[in-house]
Amino acid sequence: MIITGNTKLTRILDEYPWLIDEAVKINDNFKMLKKPVGRMMLKGATVATVSAKVGLDEAVIIAKINDLIEAHEKR
């Protein structure tokens, strides 16, 4: 999967459901993904919208997600 700023988080998590547990390594604010309210907020969220909310550049988030995926696939 090629992840861009327009990629919806639900699409990423559908393909890599384990990222919910690993996302906190990107930013502490991602721990909200484990809560029902956080899951509801994901419905329309893209990498770009999450980037703005957590205050991290979207390129950094994309790189960190790709790093987590690569590390997970090497296991």
Side-chain angles (χ1 to χ4, degrees):
M1 166 187 280
I2 296 173
I3 300 170
T4 69
N6 293 322
T7 305
K8 293 195 183 244
L9 284 186
T10 52
R11 184 168 171 238
I12 297 169
L13 294 174
D14 284 347
E15 188 154 340
Y16 307 105
W18 52 265
L19 266 175
I20 290 176
D21 295 324
E22 298 287 317
V24 76
K25 293 178 181 175
I26 297 171
N27 186 293
D28 270 351
N29 291 323
F30 284 105
K31 64 185 166 196
M32 63 107 180
L33 294 176
K34 294 181 129 188
K35 297 179 182 179
V37 172
R39 296 288 292 175
M40 277 182 15
M41 291 171 40
L42 280 178
K43 299 239 183 227
T46 64
V47 172
T49 57
V50 169
S51 165
K53 287 194 186 272
V54 301
L56 270 179
D57 186 78
E58 70 183 63
V60 172
I61 292 175
I62 292 168
K64 289 185 178 205
I65 289 172
N66 285 325
D67 289 346
L68 288 172
I69 291 168
E70 185 178 322
H72 190 266
E73 289 176 348
K74 286 183 178 179
R75 288 186 206 163

